[in-house]
Amino acid sequence: MKRWVFGAVFVVQAAFTSTAGSETLLERGDYLVNAIAACGNCHSPQTPEGPLAGMEMAGQFLIEMAGMKAYASNITPDVETGIGAWSDAEIIEAIRNGKRPDGSTIGPPMAFEWYRHISDRDVSAIVAYLRSVPPVRNEIPASTYEFPLPPAYGPSVQTVGEPDHGDLVAYGAYIAGPLGHCLSCHSPIVEGMPDLENQLGAGGQVLDGPWGVSVTANITPHEDGIGSYSDEEIKRAVTLGIAADGTELTPPMGFAYYRNMTDADLNAIVAYLKTLEPLPDP
Ligand code: HEC
Ligand code: HEC
């Protein structure tokens, strides 16, 4: 089974703006990045005491999994060491298609299998937010992969429509998939990739880090999963990291980000998770 070994503590970050009807693109991006997508869970340097002050999105986080030593990039607007010289279209191409402006492929474990389905509006909002964080000069070591990176993660995606915000289950699927990549962690690894096809949400991924060893939970409505959880218990697990039996969940899930999620979005996730095929633990 594939393991993740994290080189630094992988949680906590706060800055949060609440959302409501007439939000601007920047407000939407702030919310998406700091409540759902949790980009900073990899891209913002963390210390055991929390995020390193003044270093939001400045990179350097080391993720070691079988065959890779990946350093999360500096994605602040610094021109020389970050992505300050990239156009909006180039940043969107990086997030959705995993391609840099020079045409090279960005390596794992960023969830390109999901990010390619982020809507045009939401990916633009994320870019607007990335442009708003202070530029930080921070040279990041190159990642090394012992396997060849794919020429592409799939057919090039150029435009994605808005999901139906009024359909609770469909919108929940959009949050748990494209925006939050919950299901990339919560599905078992088969042949190096999360098995989204046959074991969606069944858990069982082993994640090593400074916290010890975490095994991702089964979040399908099976009795091995969250079948007996109330809606409130599911929401408490996601936002506070407290399981139904009251025990504290271990990292690296981004509780510190998810606690900023609106109740409406949490309800959508819960509604969606309940529609997953109930699967036993792998
Ligand atoms: C699971 C960890 C993880 C998460 C979450 C993550 N990234 Fe990344 N990202 C990486 C790693 C590692 C790299 C560098 C890969 C490499 O060196 O090839 C990277 C590279 C990038 C790059 C390319 C930068 C460059 O200079 O080449 C961009 C842009 C980027 N990420 C944006 C984002 C955004 C926006 C989000 C949130 C929507 C995000 N990432 C979430 C791990 C992550
Ligand atoms: C970086 C990997 C990762 C991501 C992303 C992630 N999780 Fe988790 N999650 C875990 C791990 C690991 C555990 C189990 C921790 C433990 O057992 O202490 C867990 C536990 C849970 C639990 C508690 C289940 C139980 O049996 O008590 C729920 C519910 C959950 N996650 C839902 C989500 C949702 C919804 C999202 C997306 C918004 C998400 N997770 C994103 C790694 C992740």
Side-chain angles (χ1 to χ4, degrees):
M1 185 169 287
K2 189 154 270 193
R3 280 161 180 267
W4 289 24
V5 183
F6 295 96
V9 172
F10 191 81
V11 213
V12 195
Q13 200 238 349
F16 158 63
T17 314
S18 81
T19 49
S22 60
E23 64 190 342
T24 63
L25 207 59
L26 177 58
E27 285 166 348
R28 174 75 177 162
D30 188 345
Y31 175 69
L32 291 177
V33 170
N34 291 312
I36 305 178
C39 314
N41 215 5
C42 287
H43 283 281
S44 296
Q46 311 284 341
T47 72
E49 288 75 45
L52 204 53
M55 294 288 278
E56 189 187 358
M57 300 299 166
Q60 199 124 1
F61 191 79
L62 170 63
I63 302 152
E64 286 189 84
M65 296 165 72
M68 72 172 89
K69 227 177 149 177
Y71 293 92
S73 317
N74 178 343
I75 54 171
T76 72
D78 183 62
V79 172
E80 274 165 33
T81 62
I83 56 173
W86 300 17
S87 69
D88 287 4
E90 285 170 339
I91 301 174
I92 291 173
E93 181 70 8
I95 297 171
R96 283 212 291 222
N97 291 317
K99 287 282 175 191
R100 295 189 185 86
D102 67 4
S104 59
T105 298
I106 299 166
M110 233 174 104
F112 298 110
E113 71 275 21
W114 289 114
Y115 292 162
R116 59 197 291 103
H117 301 295
I118 299 178
S119 76
D120 293 349
R121 172 172 168 257
D122 283 346
V123 82
S124 299
I126 290 171
V127 170
Y129 179 72
L130 293 180
R131 293 235 186 263
S132 78
V133 305
V136 178
R137 200 184 157 76
N138 188 32
E139 193 88 52
I140 303 301
S143 305
T144 51
Y145 299 94
E146 290 163 17
F147 45 86
L149 296 179
Y153 290 101
S156 174
V157 173
Q158 296 307 324
T159 182
V160 178
E162 220 19 53
D164 182 353
H165 290 237
D167 178 334
L168 203 62
V169 170
Y171 193 61
Y174 177 69
I175 298 174
L179 288 181
H181 75 282
C182 314
L183 294 164
S184 294
C185 276
H186 282 283
S187 303
I189 297 282
V190 174
E191 288 173 2
M193 289 292 289
D195 183 4
L196 306 177
E197 202 156 318
N198 303 308
Q199 300 185 77
L200 190 68
Q205 236 183 83
V206 180
L207 306 174
D208 277 8
W211 54 83
V213 177
S214 295
V215 180
T216 68
N218 181 333
I219 55 170
T220 74
H222 189 274
E223 60 186 27
D224 288 350
I226 54 174
S228 63
Y229 278 44
S230 68
D231 291 5
E232 288 309 316
E233 284 169 338
I234 298 173
K235 291 199 260 185
R236 189 176 65 159
V238 174
T239 56
L240 299 178
I242 299 171
D245 65 7
T247 55
E248 228 175 274
L249 298 169
T250 52
M253 191 167 140
F255 313 112
Y257 294 87
Y258 302 152
R259 74 164 65 107
N260 298 325
M261 229 187 290
T262 63
D263 206 43
D265 284 358
L266 285 166
N267 288 337
I269 291 185
V270 169
Y272 166 67
L273 292 181
K274 289 184 164 174
T275 68
L276 291 178
E277 186 187 338
L279 295 170
D281 285 344

